[in-house]
């Protein structure tokens, strides 16, 4: 058991039989009345985001969540297989937990997996990844100076919008939270 004073981003709470991860929190002490904690929480199973307010100092139940780094190995049907690099144990994570992050995962990529009581809750990828464009239409002569975009397929099969001047084979940085093009990578 903890109190609302122990809340911080990433804390996982047990409320009404569900696990909720704190996305944002704010301690508020109004001039009149008691202090309280305003939170934005995500249900770790369904992904639903809700706002909840707690009175300051009340007892809350926290869940023990183990966050460990794993290496992505391969996709097996609808599941994804990861390996713990410290002891080489393999962990199979259902596709519903991986979700849209599958669009940005390459084999051998390191990810963080949160585990509670032996079952994976969610995965975390780096904020951005470098992917190679496998197909895009060629840019037309004269289009290079305009701010337009065109669709491009990256090596994971995901389609993003890129500037007109980019060509097949170019490595680009992609935001894993939004899927947006962040820039060209020169190696």
């Amino acid at each position: 058991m903890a109190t609302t004073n122990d809340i911080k981003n990433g804390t996982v709470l047990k409320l009404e039989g569900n696990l909720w991860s704190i996305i944002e929190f704010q301690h508020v002490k109004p001039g009149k009345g008691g202090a309280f904690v305003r939170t934005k929480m995500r249900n770790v199973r369904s992904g639903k985001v809700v706002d909840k307010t707690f009175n300051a100092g009340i007892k809350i139940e926290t869940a023990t969540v183990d966050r460990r780094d794993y290496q992505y190995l391969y996709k097996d049907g609808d599941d994804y297989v990861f390996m713990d690099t410290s002891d080489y144990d393999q962990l199979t994570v259902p596709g519903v937990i991986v979700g849209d992050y599958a669009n940005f995962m390459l084999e051998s990529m390191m990810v963080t997996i949160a585990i509670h009581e032996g079952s994976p809750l969610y995965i975390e990828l780096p904020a951005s990844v470098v992917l190679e464009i496998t197909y895009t239409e060629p840019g037309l002569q004269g289009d290079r100076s305009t701010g337009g975009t065109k669709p491009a397929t990256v090596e994971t099969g995901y389609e993003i919008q890129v500037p007109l001047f980019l060509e097949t084979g170019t490595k680009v940085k992609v935001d894993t939270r939004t899927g947006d093009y962040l820039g060209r990578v020169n190696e």
Side-chain angles (χ1 to χ4, degrees), residues 128-134 152-155 160-163 165-167 169-175 180-187:
S128 64
V129 293
V130 175
L131 300 172
E132 185 175 331
I133 296 175
T134 55
T153 305
V154 293
E155 57 192 306
I160 62 171
Q161 292 293 319
V162 298
F165 62 85
L166 291 180
E167 299 172 354
T170 306
K171 289 192 182 284
V172 293
K173 189 181 262 189
V174 181
D175 188 324
D180 292 341
Y181 163 82
L182 294 176
R184 185 169 39 174
V185 176
N186 297 324
E187 292 185 23

Side-chain angles (χ1 to χ4, degrees), residues 6-174:
D6 300 322
I7 289 178
K8 58 183 185 259
N9 290 346
T11 302
V12 178
L13 306 177
K14 279 186 188 177
L15 295 173
E16 301 154 7
N18 289 317
L19 295 176
W20 299 86
S21 177
I22 302 293
I23 302 170
E24 294 176 12
F25 73 98
Q26 179 182 20
H27 289 277
V28 179
K29 187 168 179 176
K32 192 174 193 176
F36 58 92
V37 180
R38 187 178 295 137
T39 63
K40 184 178 276 190
M41 307 184 300
R42 176 183 292 119
N43 186 313
V44 295
R45 300 248 186 252
S46 68
K48 179 181 175 185
V49 176
V50 297
D51 294 324
K52 185 159 177 70
T53 303
F54 298 96
N55 289 331
I58 67 165
K59 298 264 188 229
I60 52 174
E61 188 176 358
T62 58
T64 305
V65 175
D66 184 24
R67 287 183 175 85
R68 299 174 82 181
D69 289 335
Y70 284 82
Q71 183 179 30
Y72 172 54
L73 296 179
Y74 59 90
K75 183 177 179 183
D76 183 22
D78 290 337
D79 298 335
Y80 294 83
V81 179
F82 297 87
M83 178 181 68
D84 186 341
T85 55
S86 62
D87 59 9
Y88 304 108
D89 281 346
Q90 291 188 2
L91 175 69
T92 301
V93 178
V96 294
I97 292 174
V98 174
D100 291 339
Y101 285 141
N103 297 325
F104 310 108
M105 289 190 326
L106 294 172
E107 290 182 4
S108 301
M109 176 184 278
M110 296 302 291
V111 301
T112 302
I113 301 178
I115 299 171
H116 173 66
E117 295 176 354
S119 64
L121 298 176
Y122 58 88
I123 70 167
E124 297 171 351
L125 264 66
S128 64
V129 293
V130 175
L131 300 172
E132 185 175 331
I133 296 175
T134 55
Y135 176 77
T136 187
E137 295 289 330
L140 298 173
Q141 191 65 29
D143 279 348
R144 307 227 184 316
S145 62
T146 61
T149 61
K150 63 181 177 180
T153 305
V154 293
E155 57 192 306
T156 60
Y158 186 65
E159 190 172 280
I160 62 171
Q161 292 293 319
V162 298
L164 294 169
F165 62 85
L166 291 180
E167 299 172 354
T168 301
T170 306
K171 289 192 182 284
V172 293
K173 189 181 262 189
V174 181

